[in-house]
Amino acid sequence: MAWSLRLIGVCAVLFATSGTDAQEDHKRSWLKQQFGGWTGLAFHCEIAGNSDRTAENLCSWATQRVRILARQSGAPLTVASSDPFQRVLDKRKVSGNPLDLVLYLSTTIPKSGGVTAVYVAVRASPHVSLPRDDKGVGPRSGTLVMWETHTIGTGMAGPEFEVALQQPIEQNLMKFLNDYADGQH
């Protein structure tokens, strides 16, 4: 009886380990399919029109931080303008085919002394254009979201609130950069 319980325990451990390995292999394969053909990243902040100074401060901080994180991960990074027309020109200066890495920020504007809310998305998405197909459908273009994560925070507007939001923003940027790096190898 004790022998059969040990054998069952060993089989369960082997099964759990092989399942984890298969999941990791699947994830690696998926990341290579997603990020294998991109030659780098073009980062920019997109701030919703109703946002306040908090979004601008977080964007400035994140722009500096993503430069450091990209260098550490080995991802070629270009910081592009938040202005859509200038961003197209900025990306044309980059050799190859960079993937857009966007930090999207939207904040509520609090009444005097009130609570503010911030929505933050880290998104990797190229702009794609499809020509007219043989059935006459198209041309079509749009943004294809390949990777995305979100953070929501509430608090009293000010430097302490901004610092509290920096940690989840950095973690999400690092999560993406690690996935991007895994997809490049």
Side-chain angles (χ1 to χ4, degrees):
M1 176 81 171
W3 173 251
S4 63
L5 288 177
R6 279 190 225 137
L7 183 58
I8 290 171
V10 168
C11 289
V13 169
L14 289 173
F15 180 73
T17 303
S18 66
T20 303
D21 290 344
Q23 288 173 344
E24 285 298 315
D25 288 344
H26 178 72
K27 181 179 179 183
R28 267 187 240 109
S29 174
W30 183 83
L31 291 172
K32 285 180 187 245
Q33 290 173 354
Q34 289 291 92
F35 304 126
W38 303 100
T39 58
L41 302 169
F43 175 81
H44 73 277
C45 285
E46 189 175 320
I47 299 175
N50 65 339
S51 294
D52 67 354
R53 188 88 177 124
T54 299
E56 293 171 15
N57 292 343
L58 287 170
C59 178
S60 294
W61 171 83
T63 301
Q64 296 306 314
R65 194 68 192 136
V66 77
R67 284 183 172 125
I68 295 166
L69 296 172
R71 207 173 349 198
Q72 290 172 350
S73 74
L77 178 80
T78 297
V79 174
S81 174
S82 293
D83 176 81
F85 298 109
Q86 183 61 45
R87 184 168 50 251
V88 170
L89 297 174
D90 291 346
K91 286 179 62 177
R92 285 187 178 168
K93 295 176 188 173
V94 179
S95 64
N97 190 21
L99 177 64
D100 289 327
L101 176 59
V102 181
L103 180 70
Y104 176 82
L105 296 151
S106 180
T107 62
T108 59
I109 301 175
K111 295 182 178 167
S112 179
V115 173
T116 189
V118 177
Y119 168 79
V120 182
V122 175
R123 179 181 306 135
S125 56
H127 184 80
V128 293
S129 295
L130 301 173
R132 185 173 310 277
D133 65 13
D134 57 350
K135 296 177 184 166
V137 177
R140 294 176 284 189
S141 65
T143 301
L144 173 65
V145 176
M146 297 173 66
W147 192 101
E148 185 171 44
T149 187
H150 312 272
T151 300
I152 297 172
T154 60
M156 299 299 286
E160 295 87 18
F161 181 55
E162 292 169 16
V163 168
L165 288 167
Q166 289 173 357
Q167 180 180 6
I169 291 171
E170 181 170 346
Q171 287 173 342
N172 289 334
L173 288 168
M174 284 175 49
K175 234 186 281 185
F176 169 75
L177 289 167
N178 287 335
D179 282 351
Y180 179 82
D182 288 347
Q184 297 294 308
H185 298 52

